[in-house]
Amino acid sequence: MARAPKERVEQAAAALLSPGERVTSTGSCWAVQVRPRVPLFFLARQKYMMALTDRRILVFARGRRKPEPADLVIGKRYESF
């Protein structure tokens, strides 16, 4: 049962992978969307599901249902960071 969230994130990420790209790890993370003129201290964190590939990071919004490709919040190559 503990592997179910990992498998769901891998399935959502599989639909977004480029040819030859592979998922190396998955997990959850906390993040906040920065807003102008609001200190980070006052913003609420949210939990997201994350998939790391050999080329980029994919972050999915969490919900009551399994993550889908439409739930992608961030999909950036490592070079852009």
Side-chain angles (χ1 to χ4, degrees), residues 17-71:
L17 296 179
S18 302
E21 188 176 18
R22 62 182 175 80
V23 174
T24 57
S25 62
T26 61
S28 60
C29 64
W30 291 96
V32 65
Q33 290 185 342
V34 179
R35 296 190 326 221
R37 304 177 78 181
V38 179
L40 284 175
F41 181 76
F42 295 112
L43 295 174
R45 297 178 300 163
Q46 293 181 353
K47 201 167 187 181
Y48 292 89
M49 296 301 296
M50 178 176 58
L52 297 176
T53 71
D54 54 348
R55 299 179 191 170
R56 58 189 169 149
I57 183 172
L58 303 171
V59 179
F60 297 93
R62 287 181 54 133
R64 294 202 178 271
R65 56 183 166 68
K66 67 179 185 175
E68 297 179 6
D71 296 330

Side-chain angles (χ1 to χ4, degrees), residues 3 5-15 17 23-26 51 67:
R3 293 187 51 95
K6 179 180 178 180
E7 291 172 0
R8 290 189 294 235
V9 172
E10 286 179 354
Q11 288 175 354
L17 296 179
V23 174
T24 57
S25 62
T26 61

